[in-house]
Amino acid sequence: MDHREALIAASNNRANLNYVAPGIEVQGLSLTYPDEPNALIDINLSIPGGEVTAVIGPSGCGKSTLLRCFNRMNDMLEGCQYSGSITLGDLNILDPMTDVTLLRRRVGMVFQQPNPFPMSIYDNVAYGPRIGGLRRRRDLDEVVENALRLAALWDEVKGQLGKNATVLSLGQQQRLVIARAIAVQPEVLLMDEPASSLDPISTLRIEELIYELKQSYTIVIVTHNMQQAARVSDRTAFLNQGQVVEYDATDKIFTNPSQRATEDYITGRYG
Amino acid sequence: MTNPDMFDYPDLNSARIRDEKINTLMTAATGAATLLAVVSVVAFLGFIVLLGGAWLAEEQALSATVGQQHSSNFELLLFGGRELASSGGVLPAIVGTVVLTLLMAVIVAPLGIVVALYLTEYSGGGWPTQLLRIGVQNLAAIPSIIYGVFGLAFFVYVIGGRIDELFYASNLPTPTFGTPGLLWASLTLALLTLPTVIVATEEGLLRIPSSLREGSRALGATRVETIFRVVLPAAAPSILTGIILAVARAAGEVAPLMLVGVVRYAPTLPVSIEAPFLQLEQKFMHLGFYVYDLTMHAPGSEGRVGIVAAASLLLVSVIVSLNIVALLLRVRLRRTYVQSGV
């Protein structure tokens, strides 16, 4: 199956009303690297498909590291070692035989700082599909338009797709990189503090967008902002010093946490 | 009556006056230095243009009275006047300079970019890399004549000699490649300008934020795809700046060329309209050397300054033209790939 067929199959799949993006199962995950031997310790999480899961915790607790396990971005760190397992549907993510470029097409990522490439808006969104082998202009046009519409950016940029992406506002840039991520039809979207560099109005738009997207994507969001976690997520995991302290429905975590440490953190007595 | 709540700040006031004085002084000093620099450059260019132009005008008047068919200053300069004629005019020297510089750029650009890519993207940045980097930067400080000696010893005698033994044995003992020529001169200049290109490219590559590389990798691009589709295009303006600097330096070099291929008079051009278009083994003429040669050997002492100024004017024009082409290219690239402010 070539990339174009794969894209079409994925979008047809998504059009099906019963479609639910697969969830992520994390079992006994530990991660070490030379500077931080206990980056993650025995993490067990069952992240449901088609929902938003927030990961909160103090700085340096390992939340970004955990997120980067899901698309193997930690591989780029020197001397990083995993144990345990992470599965996405039938895919064993941590298996050394897993093709990370294919994995990353199923698991997209949005970073803290908007990082559009210094090229046109169109080329930014078309970047992933082109890497995957999509060449025909008509197919690319369709993919770009759909992705920009989904990311609620189409109306603002439709007349100026050839304009350099770096001249957009920060909020628009962040929606652009979300469009870029969903243009390759991933099943999972990882968001690493996606609104922390944005103003309140842009933040609100990103949060609305997350709410829209969760119908067809499994979303894992790392955030420093307690209110944001409470607003956008269905489930919340509280991480501290590389360990999961508590993982439950967001309502439960924010109204009636079972751990003292969780309560201290969300009420601001810690961290 | 003075109000007790009102404070007088004599110290603050005098500090502000002192600040303003220093500001005025700095403005005057930096402005004067800038003026001096501008005046020197203008004087230098004016000297060349006036003297060279005067010589050309005089030469044209002279040839008109003598009845030669030179009709314009342009032709005169290209094909030689009374004095330039002895060496065939400056046209072959211009051609030699341009061909040599372009060939050098074609050799040094890919080599420099690949080395810089290795240093920034692949080497890992340990102490061997640092050592290599320091070594490369220090290469730029070696006097150019040393490069000429190396070019002669290594390129001409070792490599050229081997090529002759292997491919042109029938012509021996007359050397084909085992003697100074265009190829060896280009390689020597490429070596000379390699550090410039490496350092500029490296700086450009290091300025590309790692978030761009991560963004590309997170979309499923491999390392190589990331380098060719994101990193190199974004660094293109810096790379071109390096090549511009390399061209500027190479076009003005004379000393090493005297050892590896430049001659006072070459009967044929190193380029032709028939295949193979480029005679890599040929000796060639060069404007820089031409200026030197005129200064030392031009007949008579009266006209010497004028003729040298005219040739210098040409040399400067050729280098400026080469740079303008590169600058235009860079402006175009900048427009395509705006440096991201991340």
Side-chain angles (χ1 to χ4, degrees):
Chain A
M1 188 160 65
D2 72 5
H3 187 70
R4 181 169 168 270
E5 287 166 10
L7 273 180
I8 291 167
S11 60
N12 285 344
N13 227 341
R14 222 177 281 287
N16 183 341
L17 286 178
N18 297 322
Y19 170 80
V20 179
I24 301 174
E25 294 293 329
V26 185
Q27 277 164 356
L29 172 70
S30 294
L31 185 143
T32 66
Y33 49 96
D35 294 345
E36 184 62 72
N38 293 319
L40 295 174
I41 307 159
D42 192 28
I43 306 271
N44 292 286
L45 287 176
S46 176
I47 296 170
E51 287 188 13
V52 179
T53 301
V55 182
I56 59 170
S59 294
C61 72
K63 27 186 214 308
S64 289
T65 307
L66 174 63
L67 200 69
R68 285 160 167 264
C69 287
F70 299 151
N71 63 348
R72 296 263 302 264
M73 286 296 273
N74 289 320
D75 288 17
M76 289 157 82
L77 290 171
E78 202 81 31
C80 165
Q81 285 186 320
Y82 308 93
S83 63
S85 84
I86 307 175
T87 51
L88 168 69
D90 53 353
L91 180 72
N92 183 351
I93 291 179
L94 294 186
D95 187 340
M97 296 300 288
T98 297
D99 180 346
V100 291
T101 62
L102 289 179
L103 165 69
R104 287 172 190 160
R105 244 166 252 162
R106 294 180 63 180
V107 184
M109 189 167 204
V110 174
F111 298 83
Q112 189 172 352
Q113 283 283 336
N115 57 350
F117 302 136
M119 47 178 91
S120 73
I121 293 169
Y122 185 98
D123 288 341
N124 261 281
V125 184
Y127 185 85
R130 276 181 177 148
I131 291 280
L134 199 65
R135 288 275 176 277
R136 273 173 46 195
R137 185 74 191 192
R138 233 175 337 130
D139 297 333
L140 282 171
D141 286 350
E142 196 184 321
V143 166
V144 169
E145 179 173 344
N146 284 340
L148 285 170
R149 279 188 193 282
L150 265 173
L153 190 61
W154 176 252
D155 290 333
E156 289 159 61
V157 301
K158 62 186 170 191
Q160 43 185 348
L161 294 177
K163 214 162 112 179
N164 200 297
T166 50
V167 303
L168 295 173
S169 74
L170 274 186
Q172 288 175 320
Q173 288 186 10
Q174 197 63 313
R175 276 178 284 144
L176 176 70
V177 299
I178 291 174
R180 189 174 72 187
I182 57 188
V184 287
Q185 299 279 6
E187 294 151 28
V188 180
L189 265 185
L190 307 174
M191 298 187 164
D192 192 351
E193 302 187 41
S196 66
S197 61
L198 306 181
D199 60 85
I201 290 174
S202 302
T203 301
L204 190 67
R205 301 206 64 169
I206 298 285
E207 288 179 9
E208 284 168 1
L209 183 56
I210 292 171
Y211 187 79
E212 298 278 318
L213 290 174
K214 77 169 180 182
Q215 290 163 15
S216 34
Y217 303 89
T218 301
I219 296 176
V220 186
I221 177 172
V222 161
T223 179
H224 259 302
N225 182 331
M226 242 38 80
Q227 288 84 358
Q228 186 171 68
R231 279 194 300 264
V232 302
S233 71
D234 301 301
R235 297 180 72 80
T236 298
F238 171 53
L239 244 67
N240 196 11
Q241 296 181 336
Q243 285 174 298
V244 176
V245 176
E246 192 169 351
Y247 175 53
D248 214 326
T250 299
D251 288 346
K252 172 92 168 32
I253 293 268
F254 281 90
T255 53
N256 187 21
S258 53
Q259 300 289 323
R260 180 65 192 273
T262 314
E263 191 177 346
D264 285 353
Y265 181 71
I266 59 175
T267 52
R269 279 196 289 272
Y270 180 95
Chain B
M1 289 297 289
T2 48
N3 186 341
D5 290 340
M6 291 260 291
F7 290 99
D8 197 16
Y9 294 108
D11 287 348
L12 206 68
N13 211 24
S14 70
R16 190 165 57 229
I17 289 169
R18 201 181 60 224
D19 263 12
E20 273 167 18
K21 271 186 185 160
I22 291 174
N23 264 339
T24 316
L25 210 66
M26 282 302 283
T27 312
T30 50
T34 309
L35 197 68
L36 190 70
V38 170
V39 165
S40 327
V41 172
V42 169
F44 157 71
L45 284 177
F47 172 79
I48 292 180
V49 170
L50 284 180
L51 281 176
W55 179 82
L56 282 172
E58 189 191 314
E59 195 66 10
Q60 193 186 22
L62 235 156
S63 56
T65 55
V66 174
Q68 287 175 352
Q69 63 272 51
H70 293 311
S71 52
S72 71
N73 280 0
F74 184 64
E75 252 179 74
L76 189 74
L77 208 55
L78 292 190
F79 304 111
R82 197 158 41 89
E83 290 162 282
L84 292 175
S86 62
S87 53
V90 286
L91 187 62
I94 294 175
V95 172
T97 307
V98 172
V99 170
L100 171 76
T101 308
L102 292 182
L103 202 58
M104 180 282 310
V106 167
I107 297 168
V108 75
L111 195 62
I113 292 169
V114 167
V115 174
L117 270 180
Y118 173 77
L119 287 175
T120 53
E121 308 283 325
Y122 287 99
S123 70
W127 66 264
T129 311
Q130 292 302 330
L131 206 65
L132 198 63
R133 190 169 282 152
I134 291 168
V136 165
Q137 282 163 1
N138 278 306
L139 275 182
I142 293 177
S144 58
I145 188 72
I146 308 292
Y147 281 94
V149 172
F150 173 79
L152 182 67
F154 182 69
F155 291 138
V156 177
Y157 293 147
V158 176
I159 299 196
R162 285 297 290 170
I163 290 175
D164 277 357
E165 278 172 34
L166 290 173
F167 302 107
Y168 298 95
S170 55
N171 292 350
L172 286 173
T174 313
T176 308
F177 274 100
T179 176
L182 181 60
L183 177 64
W184 308 133
S186 308
L187 280 173
T188 305
L189 282 191
L191 209 61
L192 177 85
T193 53
L194 191 59
T196 316
V197 176
I198 293 174
V199 169
T201 306
E202 226 192 318
E203 274 168 11
L205 292 174
L206 290 174
R207 247 202 328 260
I208 309 299
S210 61
S211 67
L212 288 188
R213 292 169 226 253
E214 280 197 329
S216 170
R217 298 296 293 278
L219 287 165
T222 62
R223 199 169 184 176
V224 176
E225 283 166 336
T226 301
I227 287 173
F228 280 98
R229 287 167 183 255
V230 175
V231 177
L232 277 181
S238 310
I239 296 172
L240 217 60
T241 303
I243 295 173
I244 290 171
L245 291 173
V247 163
R249 176 152 189 219
E253 277 297 344
V254 181
L257 298 178
M258 299 201 278
L259 300 180
V260 290
V262 158
V263 285
R264 190 170 174 219
Y265 176 69
T268 50
L269 292 177
V271 283
S272 60
I273 50 167
E274 292 162 15
F277 307 110
L278 213 56
Q279 274 76 43
L280 289 174
E281 78 291 350
Q282 251 190 43
K283 293 186 179 55
F284 58 98
M285 293 171 67
H286 187 273
L287 268 176
F289 183 73
Y290 193 74
V291 170
Y292 165 78
D293 186 53
L294 281 176
T295 316
M296 303 308 283
H297 304 116
S301 54
E302 287 289 303
R304 198 177 282 180
V305 174
I307 193 174
V308 168
S312 305
L313 180 61
L314 264 180
L315 180 56
V316 171
S317 316
V318 167
I319 296 175
V320 167
S321 314
L322 284 170
N323 278 330
I324 286 175
V325 170
L327 277 171
L328 291 178
L329 203 63
R330 186 171 60 177
V331 168
R332 262 187 69 124
L333 279 175
R334 276 250 168 79
R335 215 170 289 146
T336 321
Y337 305 103
V338 181
Q339 294 278 348
S340 86
V342 182

